[in-house]
């Protein structure tokens, strides 16, 4: 029988051993011969993940649930697969930024925000407190069990025992003292505790050995192997149902999946795990071993859980026995006191390991990320006056350790009885899971902002509080039970275990779902709605892009900073654009005799080259500053760099704009030049026109003047001659007048300044009027004029006078050109589709094909090459064409059948096409 | 012996006025209305002076003048060019082809007659 | 130490995905029945077996950085 004192002595001896190991480890570290620079030590130290929960609680859970305890270990195994990528990134970032705690990490990523640091610390402390309570429960319970040999298990009715008589209380005090001795003997700038790590690795081994021993004992000592246990279990009604439990259990697969996810996050974000895995990591390479050794460790730890659990149920039956204690009670029931003691030590080891590391991590955060910032804000002068901060800091930390442990004890008193161990642990898991969105987004998404992280953390934490922590008080009676059953103030929709009506899920799963929704949702939404300031952006870049600076650790002989090819490339790309930067670097590499830029050494020469290359874009001085800032070791100037980059990129944008404008300018100049050419052409044409008009005007004037002078100077001219001369004067005057009128008319028509009175015009009537007007011309030459008008000619929208003008022009032309006596002229009016067509046909000389276009030119007349100049101005047809085209029609000439020409024009008819003409009249011959 | 004047112009009314003016002064006058006939007339009529309109169909005034000047036999023929175009460039062009005078229309009858008399050495 | 090569990362990502699928519905449901192998319920055999296999695979992939 183990007496109480014997147990206490054994416990203290063990703790003393741990302490000695830690002390030795620290000594070796100070000597520079680190004990823990070993991947196996690193991997084993991760075993601190397995606490009294694993030791006792897994068995308890297995007895109730079959494999339901396993997600807690499968999750981390899966996470270790990605460990290589994710945790490496975190480790790299942390080393590069001198990050010493989880709160530090999160706050640093989001612009070194003190607010975030404080919030993370708060969440961590509140979240871990139940977990610590769990350890206390386990230790106290196991102690009591050993001592009093109750079969009742770890439930020890502590709530009724006064504090000072409570084993758990003294356990807490002991642990606190021990932790203080472990972790706060001195301050280390990197917050590393080599001794602690060595001790933790040792206690992982102890745990494993103890559990394996009891496992082997139960499986092969009590029973005849695993097969034996299971075959017996198959006969046990409840146990056999646990052979295939998942489908039937509460929430079944959903629960399983969420628990897996939860533990995947826990292995990264539990403060003790972050401490061991990231802060205490000495060498990234150790991760390669940890990736499989740690899962193997967990596998080994869990192999015997089910045999022990089933064995216990089979042995003790279902009544009364607390399955959490099977690891103790089974050996005890078989008189194996030594094994029981070993198990107790194992459990103690598990619990102390957890408490030590967790509270050290928490105290670091409380000190650095909670208390000190507050101190700096409120009592800055006091702080400044302290010559030596270390005593103050150590005092703060020690106080924090004690406080945290005592809080754990408090929770244990208030709520610890109501739950099995595993349930308590999961509450803590859910709390630290709230860090996951902010951290994972922080290392992969530059767009995550401080506001987003704050929102996410707060939202997730709030949901966690409401759906897990508060109800746990209700379950223990410190809050009214109606809070859980009917929601606060009876609001059913806000029941903590069935929020918004989502019922039917285990508490943890339910809480995880809502808290993750709130957390991730708030993080994303607020992040995209807010802008990160320069400091945040710089930090975001440092975090997310940490792997871009590969091989950056080597200091170069004649270059004080660390430049890597990717660094230089990125820098150049910023100012020269990606392609130019690459080609420049390639060219440089070639010049130096390397085959490609990958082979370039990142030395001063390269940096010099980069500087030169950039000075083309931003000037020499700025280039030097840029190079110094980004390629040197001095990290904080990143902010300056970002500011400069912003300016530079703005300058580049402006230059692009300028280039764009100059391109547009060139294009405009081209257009102007073309327009100028056209204008010159038009000018010349205008000049031609003017000179031609002048010529045409002067010609009749010449006659007028000459004969006027003649008549004036020769009063004795005989009458016949005088009459003749006067007639010429009159004739030429008329010609002049006509010319002037037509020139003006044409000018008005062409410039669009003519007045148009557009009405519905009856074309046949106009044709008849024109025939009347020109009748004199025809009769003078004895040329008959045929007028043929078809039926059903619709009216057209036209200016009647202008239309008349055209017809008169065409008719007089015809009259002019036909031979007297034998000539015949016909006017026909017809309809062609939507147009009214009028044609004037003569049997005169016709128009040669070459002349068809010429006759429509100003001042040009058919017959320029003939002898004898025809009367006329040469403007009639151009004017007619102008008029017809203005009315929307066409004027053209074609050859008449046989001899002669036909001038025709078409004008669009009115839309309604109503006939406005009486039936065709017999042709009238004049 | 009366001087012979050839009038070459395609405007009948202008021709009429010139004809009257020349005949009044007692010159012998021949009339053509295009450049080709003008050259024929110069060959047959052998005028002493040609009143040459620039704008004529087929063969224009400038060409006639050039042809006349190209023929040494006609070196003595005086050429007076008439044109409604009075720009400097036209005048220079006229003088360049060998005209003895360039008169713009409308002209003052007195001036024209005086010029003719002068050119004929009277 | 070099940055994680993309092929290692890719393989790990695939293994992770396989692991997720292997340890969750629906694959795990295949073994969720009252049958035994070597006297042990298949579910247990499968979970521990797959677990060991996963560990071995991770070790193999990471094995030569």
């Amino acid at each position: 029988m183990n007496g109480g004192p014997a147990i206490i002595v054994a416990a203290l001896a063990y703790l003393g051993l741990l302490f000695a190991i830690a002390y030795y480890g620290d000594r070796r570290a100070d000597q520079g011969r680190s004990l823990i620079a070993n991947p196996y030590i690193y991997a084993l130290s991760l075993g601190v993940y397995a606490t009294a929960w694993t030791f006792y609680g897994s068995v308890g859970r297995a007895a109730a649930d079959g494999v339901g305890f396993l997600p807690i270990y499968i999750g981390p195994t899966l996470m270790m697969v990605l460990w290589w990528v994710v945790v490496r990134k975190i480790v790299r970032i942390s080393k590069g930024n001198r990050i010493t705690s989880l709160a530090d990490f999160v706050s640093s990523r989001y612009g070194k925000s003190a607010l975030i640091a404080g919030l993370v610390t708060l969440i961590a402390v509140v979240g871990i407190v139940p977990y610590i309570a769990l350890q206390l429960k386990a230790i106290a319970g196991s102690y009591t069990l050993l001592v009093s040999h109750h079969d009742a298990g770890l439930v020890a009715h502590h709530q009724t025992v006064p504090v000072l008589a409570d084993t758990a209380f003294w356990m807490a005090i002991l642990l606190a003292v021990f932790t203080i001795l472990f972790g706060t003997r001195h301050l280390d700038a990197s917050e590393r505790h080599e001794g602690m790590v060595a001790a933790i690795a040792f206690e992982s081994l102890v745990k494993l050995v103890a559990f394996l021993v009891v496992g082997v004992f139960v499986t092969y000592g009590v029973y005849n192997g695993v097969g034996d246990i299971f075959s017996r279990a198959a006969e046990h009604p409840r146990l056999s149902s646990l052979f295939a439990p998942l489908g039937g259990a509460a929430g079944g697969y959903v629960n399983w999946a969420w628990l897996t996810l939860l533990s995947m996050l826990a292995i990264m974000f539990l403060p003790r795990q972050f401490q061991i895995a990231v802060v205490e990591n000495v060498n990234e390479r150790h991760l390669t071993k940890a990736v499989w050794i740690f899962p193997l460790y967990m596998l080994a730890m869990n192999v015997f859980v089910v045999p022990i659990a089933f064995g216990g149920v089979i042995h003790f039956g279902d009544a009364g026995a607390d399955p959490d204690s099977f690891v103790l009670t089974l050996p005890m029931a078989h008189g194996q006191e030594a094994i029981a003691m070993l198990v107790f030590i194992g459990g103690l080891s598990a619990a102390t390991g957890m408490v030590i590391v967790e509270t050290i991590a928490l105290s670091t955060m409380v000190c650095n990320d909670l208390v000190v910032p507050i101190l700096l804000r409120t009592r800055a002068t006091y702080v400044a006056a302290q010559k030596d901060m270390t005593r103050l800091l150590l005092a703060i930390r020690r106080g924090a350790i004690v406080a945290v442990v005592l809080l754990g004890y408090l929770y244990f008193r208030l709520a610890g009885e109501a739950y099995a161990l595993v349930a308590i642990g999961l509450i803590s898991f859910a709390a630290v899971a709230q860090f996951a969105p902010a951290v994972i987004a922080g290392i992969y998404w530059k767009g995550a902002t401080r506001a987003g992280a704050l929102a996410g953390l707060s939202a997730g934490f709030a949901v966690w509080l409401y759906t897990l922590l508060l109800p746990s008080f209700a379950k223990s009676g410190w809050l009214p039970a109606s809070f859980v059953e009917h929601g606060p103030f009876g609001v059913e929709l806000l029941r903590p275990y069935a929020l918004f009506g989502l019922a039917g899920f285990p508490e943890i799963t339910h809480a995880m779902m809502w808290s993750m929704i709130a957390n991730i949702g708030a993080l994303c939404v607020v992040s995209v709605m807010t802008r990160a300031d320069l400091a945040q952006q710089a930090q975001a870049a440092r975090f997310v892009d940490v792997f871009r600076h590969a091989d950056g650790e080597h200091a170069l002989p004649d270059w004080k900073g660390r430049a890597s090819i990717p660094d230089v490339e990125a820098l150049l790309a910023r100012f020269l654009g990606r392609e130019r930067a690459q080609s420049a670097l390639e060219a440089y590499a070639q010049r130096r005799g390397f085959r490609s830029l990958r082979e370039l050494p990142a030395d001063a020469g390269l940096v010099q080259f980069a500087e030169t290359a950039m000075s083309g874009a931003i000037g020499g001085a700025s280039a030097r500053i840029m190079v110094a800032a980004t390629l040197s070791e001095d990290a904080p100037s990143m902010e300056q760099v970002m500011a400069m980059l912003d300016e530079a990129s703005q300058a580049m944008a402006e230059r692009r704009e300028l280039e764009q404008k100059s391109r547009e300018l060139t294009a405009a100049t081209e257009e102007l030049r073309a327009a100028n050419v056209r204008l010159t052409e038009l000018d010349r044409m205008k000049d031609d026109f003017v000179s031609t008009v002048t010529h045409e005007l002067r010609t009749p004037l010449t006659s007028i003047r000459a004969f006027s002078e003649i008549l004036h100077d020769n009063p004795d001219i005989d009458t016949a001659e005088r009459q003749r001369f006067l007639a010429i004067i009159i004739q030429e005057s008329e010609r002049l007048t006509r010319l002037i009128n037509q020139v003006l008319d044409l000018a008005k028509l062409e410039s669009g300044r003519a007045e148009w009175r557009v009405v519905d015009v009856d074309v046949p009537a106009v044709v008849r009027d024109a025939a009347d007007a020109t009748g004199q011309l025809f009769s003078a030459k004895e040329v008959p004029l045929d007028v043929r008008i078809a039926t059903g000619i619709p009216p057209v929208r036209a200016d009647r006078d202008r239309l008349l003008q055209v017809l008169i022009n065409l008719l007089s032309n015809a009259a002019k050109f036909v031979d007297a006596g034998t000539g015949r002229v016909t006017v026909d009016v017809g309809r062609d589709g939507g147009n009214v067509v009028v044609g004037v046909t003569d049997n005169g000389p016709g128009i040669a094909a070459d002349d068809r276009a010429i006759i429509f030119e100003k001042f040009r007349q058919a017959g320029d090459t003939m002898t004898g100049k025809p009367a006329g101005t040469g403007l009639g047809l151009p004017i007619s064409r102008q008029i017809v085209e203005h009315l929307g029609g066409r004027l053209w000439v074609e050859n008449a059948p046989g001899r002669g020409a036909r001038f025709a024009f078409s004008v669009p008819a009115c839309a309604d096409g109503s006939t406005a003409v009486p039936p065709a009249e017999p042709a009238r011959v004049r | 012996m009366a001087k012979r004047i050839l009038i070459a112009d395609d405007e009948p009314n202008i021709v009429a006025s010139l004809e009257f003016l020349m005949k009044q002064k007692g010159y012998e006058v021949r009339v053509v209305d295009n450049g080709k006939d003008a050259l024929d007339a110069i060959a047959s009529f052998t005028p002493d002076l040609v009143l040459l309109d620039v704008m004529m169909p087929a063969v224009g005034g400038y060409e006639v003048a050039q042809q006349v000047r190209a023929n040494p036999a006609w070196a003595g023929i005086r050429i007076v060019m008439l044109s409604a175009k009075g720009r400097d460039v036209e005048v220079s062009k006229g003088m360049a082809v060998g005209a003895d005078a360039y008169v713009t229309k409308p002209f003052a009858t007195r001036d024209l007659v005086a010029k003719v008399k002068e050119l004929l050495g009277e | 130490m070099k940055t994680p090569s993309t092929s290692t990362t890719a393989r790990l990502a695939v293994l992770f995905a396989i692991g997720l699928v292997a340890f969750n519905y629906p694959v795990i449901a295949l073994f969720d029945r009252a049958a035994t192998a070597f006297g042990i319920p298949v579910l247990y055999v499968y979970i521990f077996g797959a677990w060991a296999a996963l560990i071995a695979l991770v070790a193999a992939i990471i094995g030569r950085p």
Side-chain angles (χ1 to χ4, degrees), chain A residues 175-199:
Chain A
L175 281 176
V177 168
F178 206 60
T179 309
I180 289 173
L181 289 175
F182 247 97
T184 55
R185 278 179 299 114
H186 57 260
L187 277 181
D188 182 286
S190 62
E191 299 297 347
R192 290 198 19 237
H193 313 80
E194 293 219 1
M196 180 189 76
V197 173

Side-chain angles (χ1 to χ4, degrees), chain A residues 616-668:
Chain A
I618 57 176
S622 300
R624 192 161 307 129
I625 297 174
M626 282 302 304
V627 163
T630 44
L631 301 182
S632 81
E633 216 179 84
D634 213 4
S637 59
M638 201 48 172
E639 277 95 338
Q640 280 177 310
V641 169
M642 296 301 297
M644 263 194 277
L645 282 176
D646 271 346
E647 268 182 53
S649 64
Q650 220 176 342
M652 267 177 70
E654 274 170 21
R655 210 200 10 202
R656 267 196 294 270
E657 255 188 68
L658 275 171
E659 272 172 27
Q660 168 84 357
K661 282 202 183 113
S662 90
R663 265 200 300 271
E664 283 169 7
L665 205 62
T666 322

Side-chain angles (χ1 to χ4, degrees), chain A residues 695 698-699 701-703 705-707 709-710 712-714 717 721 724-725 728 731-732 735 864 869, chain B residues 10-11 13-14 16-17 20-21 24 33-34 55 57-58 84-87 105-110:
Chain A
H695 181 274
R698 283 186 170 156
T699 305
L701 262 177
T702 310
S703 305
R705 180 175 182 174
F707 282 116
E709 287 185 1
I710 289 173
H712 176 270
D713 292 342
N714 299 280
I717 282 184
E721 261 206 310
R724 191 177 132 226
F725 289 171
I728 290 176
Q731 188 187 19
E732 292 295 305
R735 180 178 162 193
D864 273 3
K869 203 168 177 180
Chain B
D10 60 340
E11 283 280 333
N13 291 331
I14 297 178
S17 63
F20 176 86
L21 288 168
Q24 200 188 45
D33 66 9
N34 67 76
M55 300 293 282
K85 295 191 179 172
R87 289 185 295 181
K105 304 181 204 177
F107 48 80
T109 51
R110 269 177 232 167

Side-chain angles (χ1 to χ4, degrees), chain B residues 65-95:
Chain B
Q66 271 177 323
Q67 295 234 19
V68 168
R69 287 293 169 246
N71 191 333
W74 296 338
I77 298 179
R78 301 273 81 84
I79 300 178
V80 176
M81 302 202 76
L82 296 168
S83 175
K85 295 191 179 172
R87 289 185 295 181
D88 290 343
V89 61
E90 314 288 345
V91 176
S92 321
K93 192 169 163 190
M95 305 315 276

Side-chain angles (χ1 to χ4, degrees), chain A residues 588-724:
Chain A
Y588 174 72
Q590 304 271 352
R591 278 205 297 277
R592 285 193 45 181
F594 296 99
R595 265 173 310 154
S596 85
L597 71 90
R598 298 286 149 212
E599 294 179 358
L600 273 175
D603 61 2
L606 173 67
V607 173
Q608 180 77 5
F609 165 78
E611 213 179 288
T612 323
M614 282 201 306
S615 44
I618 57 176
S622 300
R624 192 161 307 129
I625 297 174
M626 282 302 304
V627 163
T630 44
L631 301 182
S632 81
E633 216 179 84
D634 213 4
S637 59
M638 201 48 172
E639 277 95 338
Q640 280 177 310
V641 169
M642 296 301 297
M644 263 194 277
L645 282 176
D646 271 346
E647 268 182 53
S649 64
Q650 220 176 342
M652 267 177 70
E654 274 170 21
R655 210 200 10 202
R656 267 196 294 270
E657 255 188 68
L658 275 171
E659 272 172 27
Q660 168 84 357
K661 282 202 183 113
S662 90
R663 265 200 300 271
E664 283 169 7
L665 205 62
T666 322
T669 317
E670 278 308 314
E671 274 188 51
L672 270 171
R673 203 168 294 142
N676 202 31
V677 168
R678 280 200 300 275
L679 271 172
T680 322
E681 177 73 28
L682 282 171
D683 210 37
R684 194 180 59 78
M685 279 165 64
K686 191 189 62 147
D687 275 349
D688 280 352
F689 179 70
V690 167
S691 81
T692 314
V693 166
T694 326
H695 181 274
E696 294 296 315
L697 290 175
R698 283 186 170 156
T699 305
L701 262 177
T702 310
S703 305
I704 295 168
R705 180 175 182 174
F707 282 116
S708 303
E709 287 185 1
I710 289 173
L711 284 174
H712 176 270
D713 292 342
N714 299 280
D716 303 328
I717 282 184
D718 66 75
T719 322
E721 261 206 310
R722 189 166 69 228
Q723 290 303 103
R724 191 177 132 226

